[in-house]
Amino acid sequence: RLLPTPPPRGASSPRSSRRKSRDKEDHVTVIRDYRSKIESEISNICDGILKLLNSRLIPSASSGDSKVFYLKMKGDYHRFQHQIYS
């Protein structure tokens, strides 16, 4: 009578493969949800900064240099916000 031999190293059973696949799907879901949360937070922060620039900083800029600085900052935040959704 022959004794059963263990499976070769690195071989996985169908059950193990399904479990690994399900674990990967769970990780992907968690990562996507977390990414969405982070993108939303960044977007909200950018919106707040843009509102501050438009309502207070740009209108009250006393010199041309400061107005240019704030307008460049506004452009940077717009660009950054649109890169999030690209």
Side-chain angles (χ1 to χ4, degrees):
R1 196 169 143 186
L2 294 174
L3 295 173
T5 59
R9 213 172 188 170
S12 59
S13 68
R15 183 181 296 164
S16 174
S17 294
R18 283 191 301 259
R19 185 175 40 241
K20 286 179 185 177
S21 176
R22 188 175 56 236
D23 288 346
K24 281 184 182 180
E25 290 172 12
D26 291 344
H27 287 302
V28 168
T29 302
V30 168
I31 290 168
R32 282 189 181 137
D33 290 346
Y34 190 65
R35 179 181 177 167
S36 176
K37 179 182 176 185
I38 296 298
E39 287 175 348
S40 175
E41 288 178 13
I42 291 172
S43 181
N44 289 339
I45 291 168
C46 286
D47 284 339
I49 292 170
L50 288 168
K51 285 178 185 173
L52 179 65
L53 284 165
N54 288 326
S55 66
R56 301 241 174 140
L57 296 174
I58 293 171
S60 67
S62 57
S63 70
D65 288 343
S66 60
K67 190 164 191 158
V68 167
F69 174 78
Y70 291 135
L71 289 171
K72 282 184 174 183
M73 186 185 289
K74 180 180 174 181
D76 290 341
Y77 276 96
H78 272 292
R79 239 185 337 275
F80 183 70
Q81 196 171 28
H82 291 287
Q83 283 178 352
I84 292 172
Y85 298 107
S86 300

